[in-house]
Amino acid sequence: MDTVRDVLDPTCPSQVALGILGNKWTMLIIFALSSGVHRFSELRDRIAIITPKVLTQTLRALERDGLVDRTVHPVVPPKVEYRLTDLGRSLLESITAVRAWAEAHADEVLEARDRAELAQD
Amino acid sequence: MDTVRDVLDPTCPSQVALGILGNKWTMLIIFALSSGVHRFSELRDRIAIITPKVLTQTLRALERDGLVDRTVHPVVPPKVEYRLTDLGRSLLESITAVRAWAEAHADEVLEARDRAELAQD
DNA sequence: CAGGATCCGTTCCGATACTG
DNA sequence: CAGTATCGGAACGGATCCTG
C-alpha cells in the first residue's frame, strides 16, 4: 500500500473517491438511477426528503464528474432526464459492494454504538 | 430496489454506510490499518497531514462503530495500539472495490471536471 | 416542471498550544 | 507518547420563497 502521504493532492484516488462518496446524497442518487432514466421530480419523490436545492446541487456535481448525464428536452412544461453514464455505472458496481456490506452489517454497527453508549456511564 | 424512502431512519443501511464513509478520513484510516497493528503516531505519520485532534476523533468514531479496536498498554511512555476488528476487515474488503474504482477511473473524473470547467465560459 | 435565490444553523476541520 | 483544550473559519445541508 502506498503511504497516503499525497492526500493533499486532489488528484489522489482516495481524494477523488471521497469527494464523490463523501457527499451525503451521492450514493442514494446513484442507486436511484440504477434502474434507468429518471426525471427530476421522480428522483425527488424517490428520495423523498431531499430538498430540490440539494438534489440539484448533487446532480450537478455528479454531472461535472462525468457520472451522470443530463438531457434537457426543450418543451413546455420542461422535461429533464437524468441517467448514469458508463462511468457512473462502473461506480455503481463498486458501491454496490458497500451497500451489500451495509445491509449485512448495519445491525452490528448499531449494536456497537448502543454498547458504547451504555458503557459511557 | 427499495424506495430509499426511509432515509430519515438512522437505521437505514445507506445511512449507516454514509455515516461511516461520509467522514473525510475514515477510508484513509481503514486502509492505513489494513496492514496490521499500528500506534497512534504511526498512523499520524502515515496519513501525514492529519492533525492529532482529527485523528483521535475519527478513531474514536470507528471504535464506537465497532470497526477498530483500541488497546492501551499501561506503560511509560504510553503505548496505544489500533487494529481493525473483524467487522472492520469486512468493510475493508468492500471499500477496496471503491478504491480500485477510484484508481482505475480517477483520471476520467478529473478529465470530466476539467471539461466542465472549460465549458463554463 | 425544474430549478434558482436567499438565509441561516450545524457540523466539520485545521492551527496552535498545552498535559498526564 | 498519546492525546486534550480552545478557537475560529469554512463547508454542508435545510427551509422558504420565487421564476422561466
Side-chain angles (χ1 to χ4, degrees):
Chain A
M1 197 198 121
D2 55 349
T3 55
V4 199
R5 199 169 291 275
D6 50 348
V7 92
L8 281 169
D9 181 5
T11 289
C12 163
S14 304
Q15 281 294 75
V16 173
L18 267 168
I20 293 169
L21 283 271
N23 189 295
K24 187 171 174 184
W25 301 102
T26 301
M27 271 205 254
L28 274 347
I29 292 180
I30 302 249
F31 281 121
L33 285 174
S34 66
S35 51
V37 183
H38 290 284
R39 304 185 59 176
F40 186 85
S41 42
E42 287 171 353
L43 291 173
R44 194 190 47 208
D45 295 347
R46 199 139 180 206
I47 310 188
I49 53 132
I50 197 171
T51 62
K53 172 190 153 189
V54 175
L55 180 55
T56 301
Q57 255 180 204
T58 314
L59 282 170
R60 290 292 149 86
L62 293 174
E63 200 191 347
R64 267 203 317 279
D65 291 351
L67 300 170
V68 161
D69 187 56
R70 176 170 175 267
T71 312
V72 182
H73 299 275
V75 297
V76 248
K79 179 173 178 181
V80 181
E81 290 178 327
Y82 295 91
R83 83 197 68 209
L84 290 178
T85 62
D86 289 344
L87 188 57
R89 257 185 302 280
S90 73
L91 176 58
L92 174 62
E93 289 178 34
S94 297
I95 60 180
T96 293
V98 174
R99 166 87 167 192
W101 179 88
E103 301 209 319
H105 301 285
D107 53 338
E108 296 175 56
V109 172
L110 294 171
E111 275 171 36
R113 275 183 201 164
D114 288 347
R115 256 180 281 114
E117 222 170 284
L118 290 176
Q120 201 194 18
D121 309 333
Chain B
M1 199 198 119
D2 54 349
T3 54
V4 199
R5 199 170 291 275
D6 50 347
V7 93
L8 280 169
D9 180 7
T11 289
C12 163
S14 305
Q15 280 294 76
V16 173
L18 268 169
I20 294 169
L21 285 264
N23 190 297
K24 186 173 175 182
W25 301 102
T26 301
M27 271 206 253
L28 275 346
I29 292 180
I30 302 248
F31 281 122
L33 285 174
S34 66
S35 51
V37 182
H38 291 284
R39 305 183 59 171
F40 187 86
S41 42
E42 289 171 351
L43 291 173
R44 196 189 44 207
D45 295 346
R46 199 137 180 210
I47 310 189
I49 52 134
I50 197 170
T51 62
K53 173 190 153 189
V54 175
L55 180 56
T56 302
Q57 257 181 204
T58 314
L59 283 169
R60 292 291 150 87
L62 292 174
E63 200 191 350
R64 266 203 319 278
D65 291 352
L67 300 170
V68 162
D69 188 56
R70 176 170 176 267
T71 313
V72 182
H73 298 275
V75 298
V76 248
K79 179 172 177 180
V80 181
E81 289 177 328
Y82 295 91
R83 82 197 68 208
L84 291 177
T85 62
D86 289 344
L87 189 56
R89 257 187 302 282
S90 73
L91 176 57
L92 174 62
E93 289 178 34
S94 297
I95 61 180
T96 293
V98 174
R99 165 90 166 188
W101 179 88
E103 300 208 319
H105 299 286
D107 53 338
E108 297 175 54
V109 172
L110 293 172
E111 277 171 34
R113 273 182 203 166
D114 288 347
R115 256 180 282 115
E117 223 170 283
L118 291 177
Q120 203 195 17
D121 309 333

